[in-house]
Amino acid sequence: MTSVAESPTVAGEACTDDYLSGGWSIRSWLLTVDHKRIAWLYAVSITVFFFFGSAAALLIRLELITPAGDLFSAEEYNRLFSLHGIVMVWFFLIPSIPATLGNFLIPLMVGARDMAFPKLNLLSWYIYSLGGLFTLAAVIAGGVDTGWTFYTPYSTLFSNSAVLAAAVGIFIVGFSSILTGLNFVVTVHTMRAPGLTWMRLPLFVWANYATALIMILATPVLATLLLLVGLERGLGIGIFDPALGGDPLLFQHLFWFYSHPAVYIMILPAMGVISEIISCFSRNPVFGYTGMVISIMAITLFGFVVWGHHMFVSGQSMYAGILFSFFSFLVAVPSAIKTLNWTATLFRGRISFTAPMIYALSFLELFTVGGLTGIFLAALALDVHVHDSYFVTAHFHYIMVGGAVTAYMGGLHFWWPKLTGRMFSRAWASTAAVALLIGLNLTFYPQFLLGYAGMPRRYHSYPDDFAILHVLSSLGAGVLAIGYLLPLIYLSWSLRRGEPAPPNPWDARGLEWQTMSPPPVHNFKETPVVTGGPYEYRE
Amino acid sequence: MSEPDPKPPAIEDPDLGLQLIPDQASEYAAAVDYLYFALLGVSGLLLALLFGLVVVFAVRFWHGVRRERGPGLAESRERRLEIGFVLPLTLSFLGLFYWATELYVDLYTPADPDITIDVVAKQWMWKVQHPDGTREINTLHVPQGEAVALRITSQDVIHSLWLPAFRLKRDAVPGMYTSAQFTPTQTGTFRLFCAEYCGTDHARMRGKVVVLSRADYQQWLAGGAAGASRAQEGGQLFQRLGCSGCHKPGSSELAPALEGLMGSTTELADGSEVVVDEAYIRDSIIEPQKQLVAGYQPIMPSFSGQVSEEEIMQLISYIQSLGNGGKND
């Protein structure tokens, strides 16, 4: 049991010093060094980017309702899916959970007053916004048609679009990732409250810690690569140009050396969120805490040695393919342990189906389908057939949207009372969670079938036979849109009209719930002393 | 020197109906499908187990059910459950890994083919040349029952040749030769796609594979009225480009003789050895100084920009026709 020296502020008591009471002036937001306000800056920014990314996705799904390319020209279609990928990966998914929930909660969860480097934290957001707006402007005004993968030599020698500008923006945003990662690592290492040992850390903190390590280690490789692409495009030095003795496959190696671990940047924090939610609403400690921690670190480590599974048909050597396939099978094992442990956490619990719990159970389904289809893709001979098909599209959307976005929504609802001091409408929230689950499966399940049937990715038009599955998928996208728009409405509404939230509405055990909602500027009136683990729901 | 490429024909998708499992036009395709079904089975089992448990737990342990819950699982039992779950899972993963890898190795180390067809990808068409010199675009005619090897490259960006009915895909990479081999067992018309995004008209870079009986294939080739075979065209180029001035038949004074070169091992000027294959010959035409044969002066000029990818492939066919160092064709 966590003991806190102060007595938690009781609901109804005047909270004059909560972090939002400092005022709503522009200055109080743009010059803040409070990790909680910075989390909000990120939350608003990523929501804006999410809107652009989703709008592009919706237009893509509209185009694909009919086999002929009739709504947009081929060039417009290519720009749309490039915009969708670039914005969603770099400006929504990668910062999503760490920069918002992580930023807000990590200091609270470790019993600290703020991040280790509060000013660096604000700088991260400025860098992120600068890079993000730069790329968004490039992608919308200039148009980029390379896809988010920027494969050479197409991106360096053939694409007549704003590749350089987009790359510059992504390069800049990388520094924001690195700084955020650095802040997390130092905070977790040096600022834990007395008694908060490593093995008493909430899994959410472990997951974000692992994510921070990946950000620090992998992002510089992406930066190097973007620099090389810039040099190649600008000066034609020939690193990736076979006519000058370069190797286009080198690009893919460097790209996936970053971009595969980046998948774990997206999914590890999601796993952390799910552990907190399932434990709380089963009134049970997380089953196999040690196994969960080991799994997180194993995923982090193995995540760095599987990049070549993106290149099984690329001309990479057969032996490299075999090795990468082997590690890709292995990296699935810790994920399987985590899935087992979440399920076992329900055992002998007292389960309540609140909106966050519906999101968490949806995550369980979606992540498992996404993970198992990852095994299909790790299997060499099968990958040869479904590589670059809709099977791959379906697989990674189950992980990215079904996993990362669902967990983000679940986490947002779970901690909303803490973030805002307000309760949301439970009925609307449950409706939105169910809409998301249905929408996701309806959108992406048909894409598995399309892929094996022979539908390639990134096609503006396609053979008539595939139309029925594409129509189903587009219908699903409509349902998904409802699942996203509803929370935007009732959560915004709750900001002003929602019932005031008590300090601990879910009767949760984590340290962040032992202070008032919303938390005071310096989180705790006195530094808490921790005497137990984060999941003592049974005592 | 090379003629401009003709316009690609309009897209005519073979009318196959929606096939969730595409036609199995080779034995390999059927073998891949078995693996697919096995994986579907394993996944289905795991999903059923997971959902079953979640539903049972959700009903039994819903907070409204006033039943005594009993103690939580002890730490020692946790470890045992995790190991008991993970060990069989890992073993079945290893089994699937072995199965999939075996098929992949089969695909990558095929027996010698009966026929080698050259495929050059460009934005946005597939250019095909058969050994007898017949050319076609976005359509690939192949004989049934023969081991067909495709020698694939690209003249601009990366493309990827996907033949779903054969569960086969291989990237076409500029500056590099990749190969794909299959033995069609079923006549008919199947699909052919570019699977790697390659720019504006990526989606239009699709066509068909036509599998004909051996006799029909020969008849089809004859109808194409190719003047000279691929190797003969290569031989004419060899004269026209002046290669034959130094690479004289039977003489190795100025430049290595090319008879019997393909497949042999040659010592280079820096003391290393290289097995002469398509990639080496291509490199020697484009960048002759890169891997100079021991005992020769670096006097050969680069032909970069003077020969097209198809012409290089014709030259390779010509050199291959001069004998292949004891290896079978």
Side-chain angles (χ1 to χ4, degrees), chain A residues 81-82 86 90 144-161 163 167 170 222 225-226 228-229 232-233 239-242 247-260 306-316 383 387-388 392 396 457-458, chain B residues 123 156-160 169 171-174 194-199 202:
Chain A
F81 75 67
S82 303
I86 291 170
W90 278 295
V144 172
D145 69 346
T146 59
W148 77 281
T149 45
F150 293 103
Y151 268 24
T152 56
Y154 182 67
S155 64
T156 44
L157 297 175
F158 290 86
S159 171
N160 296 311
S161 64
V163 175
I170 296 165
L222 177 72
L225 178 63
L226 291 170
L228 291 178
V229 168
E232 176 104 354
R233 211 178 145 86
I239 301 165
F240 308 117
D241 180 4
D247 182 0
L249 291 192
L250 177 65
F251 173 89
Q252 295 178 30
H253 280 290
L254 291 171
F255 180 79
W256 292 114
F257 186 85
Y258 164 79
S259 292
H260 197 79
V306 298
W307 80 85
H309 69 206
H310 296 269
M311 302 170 63
F312 288 157
V313 299
S314 68
Q316 166 184 261
D383 182 72
H387 182 82
D388 269 327
V392 176
F396 71 75
R457 282 175 75 180
R458 298 171 164 180
Chain B
Q123 288 176 323
D156 41 46
V157 303
I158 298 176
H159 304 269
S160 187
K169 184 180 292 121
D171 284 5
V173 185
C194 176
E196 181 66 65
Y197 175 67
C198 56
H202 169 53

Side-chain angles (χ1 to χ4, degrees), chain A residues 75 145 158 287-288 312-313 337 341 343 348-349 351 365 384-385 387-388 452-454 458-459 465 538, chain B residues 19 33 50-51 61-63 69-71 73 78 82 86 104 108 162 169 171 191 193-194 196-197 200:
Chain A
E75 192 58 38
D145 69 346
F158 290 86
F287 182 82
F312 288 157
V313 299
I337 295 181
N341 289 359
T343 313
R348 288 184 180 162
I351 301 167
E365 186 261 338
V384 170
H385 177 54
H387 182 82
D388 269 327
Y452 206 83
R458 298 171 164 180
Y459 262 39
D465 313 327
R538 276 184 163 262
Chain B
Q19 302 172 325
D33 284 348
L50 177 80
F51 293 165
F61 306 123
W62 181 54
H63 71 92
R69 294 300 196 264
L73 292 172
E78 285 182 4
E82 280 173 354
V86 157
Y104 185 70
Y108 265 66
W162 186 15
K169 184 180 292 121
D171 284 5
R191 292 198 167 118
F193 293 108
C194 176
E196 181 66 65
Y197 175 67
T200 311

Side-chain angles (χ1 to χ4, degrees), chain A residues 71-243:
Chain A
L71 189 56
F72 300 108
S73 71
E75 192 58 38
E76 286 161 352
Y77 179 82
N78 297 343
R79 288 176 180 208
L80 277 175
F81 75 67
S82 303
L83 186 153
H84 172 67
I86 291 170
V87 167
M88 285 303 203
V89 169
W90 278 295
F91 308 116
F92 177 72
L93 284 166
I94 286 180
S96 62
I97 296 177
T100 57
L101 297 174
N103 234 331
F104 195 98
L105 294 166
I106 287 173
L108 284 163
M109 284 179 163
V110 301
R113 289 158 67 95
D114 205 312
M115 285 285 178
F117 308 114
K119 286 176 185 162
L120 216 53
N121 201 9
L122 182 65
L123 180 65
S124 301
W125 178 74
Y126 275 104
I127 295 175
Y128 164 80
S129 303
L130 179 73
L133 291 176
F134 199 88
T135 301
L136 194 65
V139 172
I140 290 180
V144 172
D145 69 346
T146 59
W148 77 281
T149 45
F150 293 103
Y151 268 24
T152 56
Y154 182 67
S155 64
T156 44
L157 297 175
F158 290 86
S159 171
N160 296 311
S161 64
V163 175
L164 208 55
V168 167
I170 296 165
F171 180 82
I172 294 172
V173 168
F175 287 94
S176 151
S177 272
I178 295 171
L179 293 181
T180 300
L182 199 68
N183 229 333
F184 282 12
V185 169
V186 177
T187 305
V188 175
H189 269 272
T190 61
M191 299 181 69
R192 281 170 289 127
L196 186 54
T197 58
W198 282 91
M199 294 313 270
R200 281 178 182 170
L201 280 177
L203 289 170
F204 179 80
V205 175
W206 267 111
N208 275 284
Y209 174 75
T211 304
L213 289 180
I214 302 176
M215 283 173 165
I216 295 172
L217 291 174
T219 315
V221 178
L222 177 72
T224 311
L225 178 63
L226 291 170
L227 208 60
L228 291 178
V229 168
L231 286 175
E232 176 104 354
R233 211 178 145 86
L235 306 173
I237 51 177
I239 301 165
F240 308 117
D241 180 4

